Structures are given as structure tokens and as C-alpha cells.
Amino acid sequence: MLARLPLVWLLLMAALATFAFCFAIDRWMKERKLTVVFLVISVGCCLGMIAVGGAQVQNWNARQMLVLYSFAWTGLTIGMFPTRKLLITYGDEYRHGIQREKYEYPKRYFAALLFSVILMCFLAFVLAT
């Protein structure tokens, strides 16, 4: 259904999802280099998803993979929302030169992140076919 949209709209959807993710990381961590790294990783993941989708037996096309990427990245951003205070704290400590030996990431935050990404990927699968 969504894969039938013009390619420009799908690219805009992917760009908006990437922007939302990078904006959230920038707001929470307040580290520009990290934001740029996540931007490069996001673009690489998008291109990688398109390549892997074309190599599959089912042969998902680029439009379907752009829908999947957009929904997955939106789910990632939504799933990271509960951890924003924790990320702000870790970002402040990093900027002040404080390094912990181990950074705690509670299981409930990980569960929320996983649930959000899986739900959005399922929705993308339904809407892309």
C-alpha cells in the first residue's frame, strides 16, 4: 500500500525518520560528533537495507525497504524516548569528562525499545506489501 507512493514521498519519509532520530540523539546527548556518526550510520543502514532487500528470495524492492526503514527508525526513536533522562545524564557526564566503568541500561527501557521497533516493523511489513 505505502510502497505504491511516489519515490519522492518515500525518500521524504525516510529522511524525516532519520532527521527525527538524529534530532532526538542531539537533544538528549548534546554531542554533535555523535549526531553526525548516527546520521552516517543511519544512511548506511538505509542503503544496506535496500541492498539486502533486493538480494532476498522474496526480492523486496527499494520502495518496500524505504517503508521498512522509515518505520523501523521511527520505532527506534519512539522506543528510546523513555531513556531520554538517562541519556541526558550520560551525555552530561561525558561532556564533563566523567567516564563510568559500566553504563547501566535498565531492562524495562530495553523492553520498551524492542517492543516499539518490532511493532513498527510489523506495521511496515503490513503496509509495504
Side-chain angles (χ1 to χ4, degrees):
M1 177 202 273
L2 281 178
R4 294 181 186 158
L5 288 173
L7 187 60
V8 174
W9 287 103
L10 296 174
L11 289 172
L12 187 62
M13 238 171 54
L16 184 63
T18 303
F19 172 76
F21 177 69
C22 290
F23 181 73
I25 291 295
D26 189 53
R27 291 279 298 183
W28 297 333
M29 297 297 284
K30 294 183 176 114
E31 185 65 37
R32 301 286 176 189
K33 291 179 185 177
L34 186 63
T35 304
V36 172
V37 167
F38 276 115
L39 177 65
V40 171
I41 289 171
S42 297
V43 171
C45 286
C46 182
L47 295 175
M49 285 176 72
I50 291 171
V52 168
Q56 294 294 319
V57 176
Q58 302 156 334
N59 196 12
W60 278 47
N61 61 23
R63 292 171 184 265
Q64 291 169 318
M65 294 310 285
L66 281 172
V67 171
L68 182 62
Y69 169 82
S70 300
F71 275 71
W73 247 237
T74 303
L76 182 66
T77 305
I78 292 169
M80 288 180 68
F81 188 75
T83 63
R84 68 189 183 281
K85 291 179 183 176
L86 185 65
L87 293 175
I88 289 170
T89 302
Y90 290 162
D92 286 341
E93 288 177 1
Y94 177 77
R95 279 191 308 282
H96 290 105
I98 301 170
Q99 291 188 350
R100 295 182 181 193
E101 210 167 288
K102 183 177 179 186
Y103 288 93
E104 295 293 326
Y105 194 75
K107 290 181 182 180
R108 66 181 183 272
Y109 293 153
F110 184 70
L113 178 70
L114 203 59
F115 177 76
S116 175
V117 171
I118 289 172
L119 179 69
M120 291 299 279
C121 286
F122 177 73
L123 286 173
F125 175 76
V126 170
L127 293 173
T129 53

